[in-house]
Amino acid sequence: MTATTTDVLTARALLLDMDGTLVNSDAVVERVWRRWAVRHGLDPEAALKVVHGRQGYATMAVLLPDRPMERNLAENRELLDEETADVDGVVPVPGAPAFMAAVAALPHALVTSADAPLARARMGAAGLRMPDVRVTAESVSASKPDPEGFLKGAADLGFAPADCVAFEDSEAGIAAARAAGMRVVGVGPRAAAFAPDLHVRDLTGLRVEAGAPGDGTIRLHVTA
C-alpha cells in the first residue's frame, strides 16, 4: 500500500487564478494563439510556451519585441473577442466545483489575466461560481508576472499579502504571486517546474478547512 503525506498551509485569504487553475481552457487558448502565431510567421509551439498566465498584449510584446505596443493592445482586443466567443472544450479543472463550494464563505478573490467578459464566459462554461471579489485585466495597468493584480486582490479583501495564499498554474502567475509576497499553491503540471510552496495535480488533492469560530484562519490540506 502506498503511503500518503499531508502538508498544510495556513492563510487568512485566498487569491485564485482562473485559466489552468479553476478552468481548463487550454483547447481554446491553443486554437486562438496557434492561428495568431501562423498569421505572424511565428512557430506556434514556441508561442504557446509564453502564452499562459500573461495578458495577450504582454505575450505579443515577448514574441514581437520590436512591434509598437499600440498594435499589441489593438490586436489583444481582437483576440479577447475570439476567446470569449469560443468556449468549446472549456471545462472545470478536476475538483474545482467542490473547491469553489468549500471557499464560498471564506475570503477569496479571482485574480485573472482575462478581462471581465472572458472571465464570465469561461467560468460560466465550466459551471463555476464567479467570486464576488475579482481582479480582471481591466483592473490593472500591468500583466502578470507583475504583482499588481495580486496586490490589488489582497487589498480589496482587506488582508496583507503575507496573509494570502495564491493558487496558480503558470510561470508568470507564480512569479507574480511571489513578487507580491504571497505563498503559492501550484495547480497542474505546468506549475510543478516553478517551485510553488505546495503542488497539486489538480484540485481533488486539496481540502479546505476553516479555523475555529472567530479565528479567521483557513487551513489548506494538500495530500500527496
Side-chain angles (χ1 to χ4, degrees):
M1 187 170 68
T2 302
T4 60
T5 60
T6 300
D7 294 307
V8 180
L9 279 182
T10 301
R12 300 182 73 84
L14 309 178
L15 300 179
L16 316 175
D17 175 54
M18 182 181 71
D19 293 299
T21 301
L22 298 175
V23 171
N24 183 343
S25 56
D26 283 359
V28 180
V29 171
E30 292 190 6
R31 279 196 296 273
V32 169
W33 281 94
R34 283 181 188 279
R35 290 196 298 263
W36 180 88
V38 169
R39 287 199 299 269
H40 291 281
L42 300 173
D43 176 6
E45 297 305 319
L48 290 176
K49 290 179 180 178
V50 298
V51 162
H52 297 288
R54 292 179 170 87
Q55 292 190 41
Y57 75 84
T59 295
M60 294 171 192
V62 172
L63 295 171
L64 298 172
D66 298 325
R67 193 166 78 156
M69 185 56 71
E70 292 77 9
R71 289 275 307 280
N72 295 340
L73 292 169
E75 204 163 27
N76 183 47
R77 289 189 289 271
E78 295 173 6
L79 290 195
L80 283 170
D81 289 342
E82 283 186 53
E83 291 186 82
T84 302
D86 183 357
V87 294
D88 186 26
V90 174
V91 295
V93 165
F99 174 78
M100 291 303 289
V103 305
L106 303 174
H108 68 286
L110 190 73
V111 181
T112 175
S113 292
D115 67 358
L118 180 56
R120 288 194 297 269
R122 286 186 176 164
M123 292 289 279
L128 298 176
R129 173 187 57 81
M130 179 69 82
D132 292 334
V133 179
R134 44 194 180 264
V135 179
T136 56
E138 305 94 328
S139 309
V140 297
S141 61
S143 170
K144 299 173 185 176
D146 190 281
E148 181 184 358
F150 282 115
L151 292 172
K152 180 172 175 54
D156 288 351
L157 290 171
F159 291 93
D163 289 330
C164 300
V165 168
F167 287 72
E168 269 287 357
D169 74 300
S170 69
E171 180 179 14
I174 291 172
R178 289 206 180 283
M182 298 174 184
R183 292 155 296 153
V184 185
V185 173
V187 180
R190 278 191 294 267
F194 306 113
D197 293 277
L198 292 177
H199 177 258
V200 291
R201 179 183 60 190
D202 56 46
L203 293 172
T204 62
L206 184 75
R207 181 167 62 87
V208 181
E209 178 186 42
D215 179 60
T217 61
I218 303 166
R219 292 171 64 82
L220 304 169
H221 300 260
V222 175
T223 302

